[in-house]
Amino acid sequence: MSEAPPYQPPSVWSWKKDGNGGRFASINRPVAGATHERELPVGRHPLQLYSLATPNGVKVTVMLEELLEAGHEGAEYDAWLVRIDAGEQFGSGFVGINPNSKIPALLDRSGPEPLRVFESGAILLHLAEKFGGAFLPAGGAARAECLSWLFWQMGSAPFLGGGFGHFYAYAPEKIEYAIDRYAMEVKRQLDVLDRRLAESPFLAGADYTIADMAVWPWYGTLVKGQLYGAGEFLQVQDYRHVLRWTDAIAQRPAVRRGRIVNRSWGQPASQLLERHQASDFDTRTQDKLAPAAG
């Protein structure tokens, strides 16, 4: 039986609804905008978050929990689950907050007019500035370092998620060139982080900042072998300074809370589908809501 000829791109690309996207074919499309009418729920707090506990979503729930831990009562929030595998991010209400149809999206109702903020890095920066520069150095080298690492994550993580993660874990066929290309880049990124954290407790310097909150859900999860099942493949144990930093952050009470908000997989005790008040962590995780065995 002869092998299929090598793929040659056509002169003009066309969307094959059942053939493009592999695992995500049902929700991927080449156009923007809403696919259906769906209003978003609104809770009682000024901050309304619409999200899912992917690494990008965890950044924001960690930040909100850190603000509350630090005593910023105005950071109370409602967190609503957006099931992206079901296409809920294409509802008209969500698209009205984030025209890019990606989680997380924040509606800040604390002012005279509701303010939409989308893209996780923009949300972190908005919240830091809103609460008097919380977790954001005021100026000088520390601020420049913090913002540099924040935007490093924005530019680097697509190579980890959309590049390595897609081709290693999700693509319908394993393509050696693509996996090698992105594995090399991810290991280079881990080395960048490891070298920085060899000389500094946190990414911006001595203090924990929004830069750490942005990077940790992606690269901290990766070096613990919890992302894409790729720990052994990438030999993540070699990045010992990243591991030290990862473990230190994971022990923070606010991080422990924030990482389970809007989580809909894993152990039932690690799933808090919606968060509307602090007591939800004690009363509303899935292990507490699950019906008792008969």
Side-chain angles (χ1 to χ4, degrees), residues 190-215:
L190 286 170
D191 194 43
V192 169
L193 288 174
D194 206 58
R195 290 169 185 262
R196 170 56 179 166
L197 292 167
E199 61 188 19
S200 176
F202 296 102
L203 290 171
D207 297 323
Y208 171 70
T209 69
I210 57 173
D212 302 288
M213 296 181 207
V215 174

Side-chain angles (χ1 to χ4, degrees), residues 42-43 86 101 129 142 194 222 238 253 276:
V42 177
S101 293
E129 292 177 338
D194 206 58
L222 182 66
D238 293 345
H276 303 291

Side-chain angles (χ1 to χ4, degrees), residues 3-290:
E3 294 184 1
Y7 171 71
Q8 291 294 328
S11 299
V12 178
W13 181 85
S14 62
W15 179 28
K16 301 179 183 67
K17 291 188 178 182
D18 297 325
N20 297 126
R23 174 175 169 179
F24 303 103
S26 64
I27 60 171
N28 284 347
R29 58 198 182 102
V31 293
T35 61
H36 58 282
E37 292 295 319
R38 184 173 185 267
E39 293 186 6
L40 292 174
V42 177
R44 63 188 176 91
H45 299 300
L47 298 177
Q48 299 293 302
L49 179 68
Y50 304 93
S51 191
L52 181 69
T54 66
N56 287 334
V58 168
K59 298 173 194 176
V60 177
T61 49
V62 164
M63 175 59 164
L64 288 164
E65 292 297 329
E66 289 283 10
L67 289 167
L68 292 169
E69 185 81 10
H72 296 282
E73 295 181 2
E76 271 293 352
Y77 68 103
D78 293 282
W80 303 93
L81 179 66
V82 178
R83 298 184 186 273
I84 62 175
D85 57 345
E88 292 181 356
Q89 70 274 32
F90 299 115
S92 57
F94 190 89
V95 173
I97 298 179
N98 186 354
N100 196 38
S101 293
K102 304 289 185 182
I103 62 93
L106 179 72
L107 188 64
D108 184 345
R109 303 185 306 156
S110 61
E113 295 292 334
L115 179 68
R116 75 177 189 184
V117 192
F118 58 93
E119 292 297 327
S120 56
I123 297 173
L124 290 178
L125 194 54
H126 171 76
L127 292 172
E129 292 177 338
K130 178 182 180 68
F131 292 99
F135 304 103
L136 177 65
R143 182 182 179 89
E145 199 75 18
C146 175
L147 294 178
S148 294
W149 285 107
L150 174 65
F151 287 100
W152 176 88
Q153 189 277 319
M154 303 300 142
S156 296
F159 291 95
L160 170 53
F164 175 76
H166 179 80
F167 286 105
Y168 182 79
Y170 302 137
E173 59 182 287
K174 303 299 183 187
I175 302 171
E176 182 179 5
Y177 172 81
I179 293 172
D180 283 352
R181 165 71 179 87
Y182 288 111
M184 183 183 303
E185 173 60 14
V186 169
K187 287 184 71 67
R188 188 193 69 81
Q189 292 175 5
L190 286 170
D191 194 43
V192 169
L193 288 174
D194 206 58
R195 290 169 185 262
R196 170 56 179 166
L197 292 167
E199 61 188 19
S200 176
F202 296 102
L203 290 171
D207 297 323
Y208 171 70
T209 69
I210 57 173
D212 302 288
M213 296 181 207
V215 174
W216 180 81
W218 280 105
Y219 296 89
T221 305
L222 182 66
V223 295
K224 298 301 284 187
Q226 299 167 352
L227 197 60
Y228 308 124
E232 181 181 6
F233 182 75
L234 295 173
Q235 292 292 281
V236 293
Q237 72 279 357
D238 293 345
Y239 304 98
R240 58 188 183 89
H241 301 293
V242 182
L243 282 164
R244 182 269 307 161
W245 165 86
T246 294
D247 290 340
I249 291 174
Q251 295 304 309
R252 298 178 67 90
V255 172
R256 291 181 176 182
R257 295 194 301 271
R259 72 188 309 178
I260 73 170
V261 176
N262 298 143
R263 184 177 173 90
S264 61
W265 62 90
Q267 293 296 319
S270 73
Q271 298 181 43
L272 182 62
L273 301 187
E274 294 182 3
R275 187 269 190 212
H276 303 291
Q277 56 193 6
S279 62
D280 288 346
F281 292 100
D282 298 320
T283 63
R284 302 290 296 175
T285 53
Q286 286 301 101
D287 60 316
K288 299 178 180 69
L289 297 180

